[in-house]
Amino acid sequence: MPLLDGTEMGETLDEVDQLDVAVTDVASSLGRSHQARLEPRRSSISKVVTSTKSKKKQHLHKLVKVVTSEGITTTATSLPKSMLASRPLPLLVCSVGNPGSQFANTLHSAGHTVLNRLADRLGYPGFHKDRQHGNGLISKPSIIPGGSGDWTLWQSTAYMNDSGKGVRAAYMAWAKNIVDGEGRLVIVHDELEKPLGAVTLKTGQGLSAKGHNGLKSIMSVMGNTPFVRIGIGIGRPVSRESNDVARYVLKKMDAGEKSAVEGSIDQVIAKLKQLETG
């Protein structure tokens, strides 16, 4: 019997047959990749297979809930779309700034500061250089923790005004491993004018870069590929002269400024959780 390839229940086969196919597909998929973790769930699977039609759907929903809540990746293709919709979307979270110790912990590299803090909070391994992902710095867990989303963290190693090429390369490499091509690209950047440590989320496409050279660079190379933006407020100098603004964003953060930027992490995590739900 062919797999349903994600069709809704009742569209192509008798509902009971569809449920049997879905259960078999989920069970075999989990069994191949997670033998040890599947063992405690065998009774649930048996209940689904042997249950009457009225109970079968109930048990299948429970099984799918276990799959998604524990972060287990399944290759099952017969799950109904209504169930797949509850799975968190993978996120590629990219920060832009300027490279090297000279620009580390400057206001203009606030995105990097936040991503370092995010990796620490999530318990991710340290960032390491990855040529396949645009020669940037990458951090991701080897196993997705139970109940957590699939977030890959990436830091640009290019100068701000040339960060687009690296972001595009990282996205193309990351997207190859995303099931059904469903995932979101998130850019974390500093945001002038906003209060220090304030967090903004912009999901609309075609929005202005508002003079931000990193965003301009990304927009110039990503074409029609959508991405969302998380801005980290860095305040604004009193003077509006361009040279004064440049000196302000490129200066090292003092202790209070760094604390405010790093203190935005809870808001950033909340925004990312919002994005992974679609």
Side-chain angles (χ1 to χ4, degrees):
M1 182 179 295
L3 297 180
L4 301 182
D5 197 23
T7 55
E8 294 285 0
M9 292 181 182
E11 286 184 354
T12 59
L13 299 174
D14 176 83
E15 188 178 46
V16 176
D17 289 337
Q18 290 192 23
L19 287 169
D20 284 335
V21 171
V23 170
T24 301
D25 194 26
V26 173
S28 62
S29 176
L30 290 177
R32 286 192 297 271
S33 303
H34 299 273
Q35 291 289 345
R37 296 174 69 182
L38 175 63
E39 199 60 39
R41 306 298 176 186
R42 290 201 180 277
S43 60
S44 296
I45 295 171
S46 297
K47 287 180 181 178
V48 181
V49 175
T50 59
S51 292
T52 61
K53 174 181 169 181
S54 61
K55 292 291 186 180
K56 193 182 293 288
K57 185 183 294 187
Q58 177 183 347
H59 288 306
L60 180 58
H61 274 276
K62 287 183 179 179
L63 180 59
V64 173
K65 186 176 181 181
V66 168
V67 172
T68 57
S69 66
E70 293 192 3
I72 300 174
T73 300
T74 173
T75 59
T77 57
S78 60
L79 291 176
K81 289 179 180 177
S82 59
M83 294 182 182
L84 289 174
S86 64
R87 299 174 66 184
L89 292 174
L91 303 179
L92 174 61
V93 187
C94 301
S95 64
V96 292
N98 285 311
S101 58
Q102 177 184 355
F103 298 105
N105 293 317
T106 59
L107 287 169
H108 208 23
S109 293
H112 289 339
T113 299
V114 167
L115 224 64
N116 286 333
R117 186 72 185 90
L118 179 59
D120 289 341
R121 174 70 70 86
L122 297 176
Y124 278 21
F127 284 91
H128 65 276
K129 201 158 192 176
D130 190 312
R131 291 184 179 180
Q132 291 184 338
H133 289 77
N135 222 27
L137 302 176
I138 195 168
S139 177
K140 58 182 179 179
S142 55
I143 298 176
I144 301 171
S148 297
D150 179 0
W151 301 354
T152 297
L153 310 184
W154 182 90
Q155 293 181 326
S156 170
T157 54
Y159 284 96
M160 184 70 86
N161 60 3
D162 195 33
S163 52
K165 289 182 289 186
V167 169
R168 184 178 186 279
Y171 174 78
M172 297 299 289
W174 171 80
K176 290 178 181 178
N177 299 313
I178 300 303
V179 178
D180 297 327
E182 293 189 1
R184 305 193 82 165
L185 171 61
V186 183
I187 306 299
V188 182
H189 62 92
D190 62 300
E191 190 160 21
L192 204 61
E193 303 284 0
K194 297 298 182 182
L196 195 64
V199 177
T200 60
L201 173 63
K202 296 179 181 179
T203 59
Q205 301 308 305
L207 298 174
S208 170
K210 292 188 175 180
H212 194 288
N213 288 329
L215 293 176
K216 286 181 181 179
S217 178
I218 294 168
M219 290 175 177
S220 71
V221 300
M222 292 306 294
N224 294 324
T225 302
F227 64 90
V228 298
R229 294 148 50 171
I230 292 180
I232 309 299
I234 60 169
R236 174 97 196 198
V238 175
S239 172
R240 301 287 171 164
E241 293 294 329
S242 59
N243 288 339
D244 292 334
V245 173
R247 279 192 290 270
Y248 175 80
V249 300
L250 293 177
K251 76 179 184 69
K252 296 280 188 178
M253 290 183 278
D254 61 31
E257 290 169 333
K258 187 174 182 181
S259 177
V261 168
E262 291 185 333
S264 69
I265 190 64
D266 288 332
Q267 295 181 67
V268 171
I269 290 174
K271 300 296 186 187
L272 292 173
K273 288 184 176 180
Q274 177 183 337
L275 290 171
E276 73 175 358
T277 62

